Amino acid sequence: MLRTALGAAGLLALVAARDAAAVPQVLLVQNSGWMEPFYTDPQSPFKPLVAALAASVAQPGDALVLAAFNQSRPGAPSPRALLSESVGPATPQHVRAALAGLDVARKPGGAAPGTTALADTDLGEAVNAALTQVLQGKPGLVWVVTNNRNSPNNDQATGARNREFYNLIHHGAAIDKALAFPLRMPVTGAHYRANGLMVYVFAAGREGARELDRLLASGRVARVITEPPARLKPLDRDTVRLVPRKVEGAPGVEFSMDAGGLLRADVAPDARSPAARILWNVENTIYPYTIGSAGIAARSTLAGEARPIVLGSARVRDLAPGRAEPLASTVQLPVAQLPGKWSLEALQSAGSAYVLPGRIEVQLRDQRLALSPAFVARMAALFPGDPLPEIFTPPAEIGASTAVLPLEVRVHYGAAPLVALLGGGLALLAAAGAAAWAYGRPRRVTLTVEDELRTVHTRAGAVQPIYDRAGQQVARLKTTLFGHRLLDLREGAQVRLGR
């Protein structure tokens, strides 16, 4: 654990020993003057929240960097490292110890002898340092715990400062995904009062975004923060999802969706309807935005073929976050591409399912987004007079979005064809075995040669010469599966089958 004051550049060495396969976590905790009530209120849950968040999101083996930030000044660098280590059993204790020694920062010197002013805040500086100098442009997660006051040099033009922070989030290529968790946390200090706290998480790189999605899906964030995340970025993908309600006009076809969002179409092997009418619910998944208006289109891709989905409505309107509205569609089914029940694929899938992967793509055009009035009211209550929520204003250039719904078409083949085929194969094997036995088994044939009764041992397919008493060949005996016959019988010879 490091308690020495380090500049942003000094944080670079703190993740040198991280596991290359792990996604590092950087946790930035604001300690500027505006945070005074969070540190001085005896009932403040601020530090326990930060410790619980670090313990929940950073898993064993992850590289964890904990740092305090305000605004960097000569003699008072920011961010300042508090801890850097590979997460292990002792890490939660180390985090709590580091936070216990953290207090509100003051500027070096002061306006009058013996006095010092409380430090200002620069959110952009802190996030940039984490992205460029700690992570070095590599994948990772940057968590920022702040009271949402962005005022470098005590600048009262907070709108302009927030615009810089807005551009870093929305137009910076380093951030692939950004979420915000506004939390209610009323605290009272000697100088200020506050109603709320904001926790941001910025995912750097695609792997960082995937790690954030895994964290959210695992419920590890929700153990600490029960509020739903507000999305800052991206706003041009995964804005809606389709949930099937009913299938009409396609006997033997059923749709369902699992907890992970995978759509399954279970198809009977004898289903041959070329299309199905599917009734969906289209849901808005971009809290806290309302989709005021957007044109909607969809297509499916199955067996390498893209097919349009005919929708019952060409637009969605006033779709609030979390709200769903019905949408009818006609979907082409890939019945021509499905293997027949006597095909090799069907026989290999007997008793289980033959899976045909695909996807459904939904496109929104002329998309108009607006913040939910309920969210605006909540932000005003948590951060009164603070214009920072403008970072939630969608960028003007985002007028379209896409959503991809993974799809599996599963054909359930019964075992009857396989059983019949196996039975036929066994019957053929039995017949072949019987024929082989019959062909190879020894046979005895009774012959009469010149009134002498003889017994000849032979096998199917054999041809044996027959001799008289003088040793002259008088005939040949040919044996088949079906009997015996004499060949090349010499003229005047007295040879016959049987007695």
Side-chain angles (χ1 to χ4, degrees):
M1 183 174 61
L2 302 179
R3 292 183 180 274
T4 57
L6 296 179
L11 296 179
L12 176 60
L14 300 181
V15 293
R18 70 181 182 231
D19 182 355
V23 174
Q25 310 259 354
V26 182
L27 182 53
L28 301 175
V29 183
Q30 183 180 341
N31 71 331
S32 63
W34 289 112
M35 292 291 290
E36 180 262 340
F38 293 95
Y39 287 90
T40 60
D41 189 330
Q43 304 301 318
S44 172
F46 170 67
K47 289 183 178 179
L49 169 72
V50 175
L53 180 63
S56 186
V57 300
Q59 296 301 290
D62 288 352
L64 174 65
V65 174
L66 175 66
F69 78 95
N70 39 78
Q71 183 185 15
S72 183
R73 297 178 69 88
S78 174
R80 179 171 66 91
L82 303 176
L83 175 146
S84 174
E85 65 185 41
S86 179
V87 175
T91 298
Q93 179 183 348
H94 294 170
V95 170
R96 290 192 296 270
L99 292 172
L102 184 62
D103 204 349
V104 181
R106 295 179 179 273
K107 299 177 183 177
T115 65
T116 55
L118 296 176
D120 298 327
T121 311
D122 194 332
L123 285 168
E125 176 187 61
V127 174
N128 260 320
L131 292 171
T132 61
Q133 299 181 44
V134 179
L135 298 178
Q136 288 187 284
K138 296 178 181 178
L141 296 181
V142 177
W143 301 83
V144 182
V145 185
T146 172
N147 74 330
N148 240 15
R149 292 294 182 104
N150 191 27
S151 55
N153 302 317
N154 201 26
D155 190 348
Q156 299 305 304
T158 53
R161 295 302 185 183
N162 294 341
R163 175 58 54 180
E164 296 173 3
F165 192 47
Y166 174 99
N167 288 332
L168 172 64
I169 295 171
H170 288 288
H171 302 294
I175 296 175
D176 277 47
K177 187 166 188 173
L179 303 176
F181 299 84
L183 307 178
R184 184 176 181 273
M185 188 177 290
V187 287
T188 302
H191 303 286
Y192 310 112
R193 300 179 54 147
N195 293 337
L197 192 71
M198 185 75 87
V199 177
Y200 293 101
V201 57
F202 304 109
R206 291 186 179 180
E207 183 54 39
R210 285 192 289 266
E211 176 62 19
L212 179 55
D213 290 338
R214 286 191 289 266
L215 269 175
L216 295 171
S218 71
R220 281 154 48 190
V221 178
R223 294 173 198 162
V224 181
I225 303 176
T226 57
E227 295 294 330
R231 192 192 301 189
L232 295 172
K233 184 181 183 179
L235 299 178
D236 59 354
R237 63 179 184 267
D238 301 326
T239 53
V240 296
R241 70 170 184 160
L242 295 177
V243 179
R245 291 188 294 117
K246 187 179 180 182
V247 179
E248 297 178 345
V253 179
E254 293 183 1
F255 280 82
S256 63
M257 182 173 287
D258 68 9
L262 174 66
L263 180 65
R264 288 194 175 97
D266 292 287
V267 181
D270 55 351
R272 286 296 176 263
S273 298
R277 176 178 165 83
I278 304 178
L279 306 181
W280 310 85
N281 279 337
V282 55
E283 295 183 359
N284 177 348
T285 60
I286 48 168
Y287 175 81
Y289 302 95
T290 294
I291 302 175
S293 175
I296 185 169
R299 67 174 185 173
S300 65
T301 302
L302 279 168
E305 293 185 10
R307 300 168 179 264
I309 296 177
V310 180
L311 301 178
S313 174
R315 299 195 71 81
V316 292
R317 293 180 175 84
D318 299 322
L319 195 58
R323 180 173 164 260
E325 66 177 37
L327 180 67
S329 70
T330 301
V331 178
Q332 299 295 316
L333 299 176
V335 291
Q337 287 78 23
L338 299 181
K341 64 180 181 180
W342 292 104
S343 66
L344 178 61
E345 294 91 342
L347 295 174
Q348 290 175 336
S349 305
S352 57
Y354 174 79
V355 178
L356 190 66
R359 66 184 183 275
I360 290 178
E361 299 175 11
V362 182
Q363 300 91 32
L364 296 184
R365 305 179 307 276
D366 304 322
Q367 175 180 265
R368 298 179 183 176
L369 301 180
L371 278 174
S372 159
F375 182 78
V376 173
R378 174 172 168 78
M379 293 294 290
L382 293 180
F383 309 102
D386 184 1
L388 190 58
E390 75 174 52
I391 65 171
F392 290 95
T393 303
E397 65 270 18
I398 295 182
S401 65
T402 60
V404 177
L405 181 64
L407 171 66
E408 276 187 1
V409 175
R410 303 191 304 176
V411 188
H412 298 270
Y413 293 100
L418 180 60
V419 171
L421 187 63
L422 289 176
L426 290 175
L428 286 175
L429 287 175
W437 178 82
Y439 190 83
R441 69 180 178 87
R443 299 166 181 263
R444 292 195 308 172
V445 184
T446 302
L447 295 175
T448 301
V449 180
E450 297 179 343
D451 297 327
E452 179 185 353
L453 191 63
R454 297 182 185 179
T455 300
V456 178
H457 295 274
T458 184
R459 295 178 183 273
V463 178
Q464 293 183 247
I466 305 299
Y467 300 95
D468 60 12
R469 290 191 184 96
Q472 300 293 320
Q473 180 176 322
V474 292
R476 290 190 303 155
L477 175 66
K478 183 176 182 179
T479 302
T480 67
L481 285 173
F482 308 103
H484 315 277
R485 60 193 180 101
L486 294 172
L487 303 176
D488 301 330
L489 187 62
R490 195 176 68 183
E491 184 177 354
Q494 298 180 13
V495 182
R496 65 178 183 273
L497 294 172
R499 295 180 180 273

